[in-house]
Amino acid sequence: DAMVIQNPRYQVTQFGKPVTLSCSQTLNHNVMYWYQQKSSQAPKLLFHYYDKDFNNEADTPDNFQSRRPNTSFCFLDIRSPGLGDAAMYLCATSMRRQETQYFGPGTRLLVL
Amino acid sequence: RKEVEQDPGPFNVPEGATVAFNCTYSNSASQSFFWYRQDCRKEPKLLMSVYSSGNEDGRFTAQLNRASQYISLLIRDSKLSDSATYLCVVTPGGGSSNTGKLIFGQGTTLQVKP
């Protein structure tokens, strides 16, 4: 059974049109992470939640926001997608910060 | 300088070959070390953790040299199914803000051929 679920798997949006990516988990983990991975590059952490505590990476653009309404769900909002935001967005969870992270299958975003 | 550096490859090897991947990291305070595997267009999956004493899991052996800030992965008797990108991953030290953060290398691509 899938433990970290991301929807949709593929998302096409228009330049400047807000888009929301979804992540849910059945592991009851405290920590949820969002990574961006561009083609042939390493995944890069955007931000993470430890429970309700939001931790933004210093170099994450303001265009990227996140919400975690409850333990199971976490959303990535891109307010005004640019062509450079086309990437795979990976959600991961862990019980505590230093423990193994489990990744979802990712959402591949295309910006037209 | 990148925090985690790997030779991107690709490494093209025949089945049954032994192949070694290397990785260096820049932050001497780094705390934990891993190898992840990522198949094409899929998510990364943990392959193994890396310890100073070295650790082995079947055909896979990982080593850490803290003095040289160097991590290695050895794959013996390569299988076709080993074809993937291998990501070297480090958790940085330096305070609670970095706790749990994973720093990924660019990855090394392995192609095992019949």
Side-chain angles (χ1 to χ4, degrees):
Chain A
D1 290 337
M3 296 182 291
V4 183
I5 302 159
Q6 290 189 244
N7 285 305
R9 295 293 308 279
Y10 299 90
Q11 176 73 57
V12 181
T13 191
Q14 291 178 331
F15 182 94
K17 184 175 181 180
V19 66
T20 294
L21 309 183
S22 169
C23 177
S24 63
Q25 51 126 344
T26 60
L27 298 164
N28 205 33
H29 280 174
N30 293 311
V31 195
M32 295 186 78
Y33 307 81
W34 279 104
Y35 292 85
Q36 178 193 63
Q37 186 176 24
K38 296 186 178 180
S39 181
S40 301
Q41 294 185 22
K44 181 180 176 301
L45 182 65
L46 295 173
F47 26 59
H48 76 274
Y49 273 95
Y50 189 99
D51 196 14
K52 296 180 181 179
D53 181 28
F54 177 71
N55 298 268
N56 197 30
E57 291 300 301
D59 56 355
T60 297
D62 292 341
N63 198 25
F64 291 86
Q65 304 285 321
S66 187
R67 296 170 284 135
R68 188 178 186 186
N70 54 53
T71 300
S72 300
F73 284 86
C74 194
F75 300 100
L76 169 61
D77 300 308
I78 308 176
R79 293 193 297 189
S80 181
L83 299 179
D85 296 328
M88 170 84 94
Y89 290 88
L90 294 158
C91 175
T93 75
S94 64
M95 177 56 79
R96 282 172 281 275
R97 282 196 176 107
Q98 288 287 21
E99 297 185 5
T100 300
Q101 294 185 23
Y102 296 86
F103 284 82
T107 293
R108 190 167 293 278
L109 178 68
L110 180 63
V111 182
L112 300 178
Chain B
R1 184 186 171 190
K2 293 180 182 176
E3 291 186 75
V4 180
E5 296 210 58
Q6 297 180 247
D7 178 351
F11 284 57
N12 294 302
V13 303
E15 267 187 297
T18 295
V19 61
F21 304 139
N22 303 319
C23 168
T24 58
Y25 59 96
S26 60
N27 184 353
S28 60
S30 297
Q31 296 183 338
S32 304
F33 309 88
F34 310 93
W35 283 101
Y36 275 71
R37 170 190 170 134
Q38 187 171 27
D39 291 286
C40 188
R41 305 179 81 84
K42 297 285 183 69
E43 74 274 23
K45 291 186 178 178
L46 179 65
L47 181 64
M48 57 199 307
S49 301
V50 190
Y51 307 109
S52 296
S53 56
N55 48 307
E56 186 174 312
D57 182 2
R59 298 181 293 109
F60 298 83
T61 301
Q63 289 265 289
L64 166 65
N65 184 323
R66 282 191 180 270
S68 301
Q69 295 177 206
Y70 171 94
I71 305 160
S72 66
L73 176 68
L74 184 75
I75 305 176
R76 290 181 299 278
D77 189 22
S78 300
K79 311 291 185 192
L80 296 176
S81 57
D82 294 334
S83 298
T85 296
Y86 291 83
L87 299 161
C88 178
V89 183
V90 168
T91 64
S96 59
S97 63
N98 281 333
T99 304
K101 180 176 178 177
L102 297 181
I103 308 293
F104 286 81
Q106 184 182 3
T108 299
T109 298
L110 172 65
Q111 185 68 44
V112 182
K113 298 187 180 299

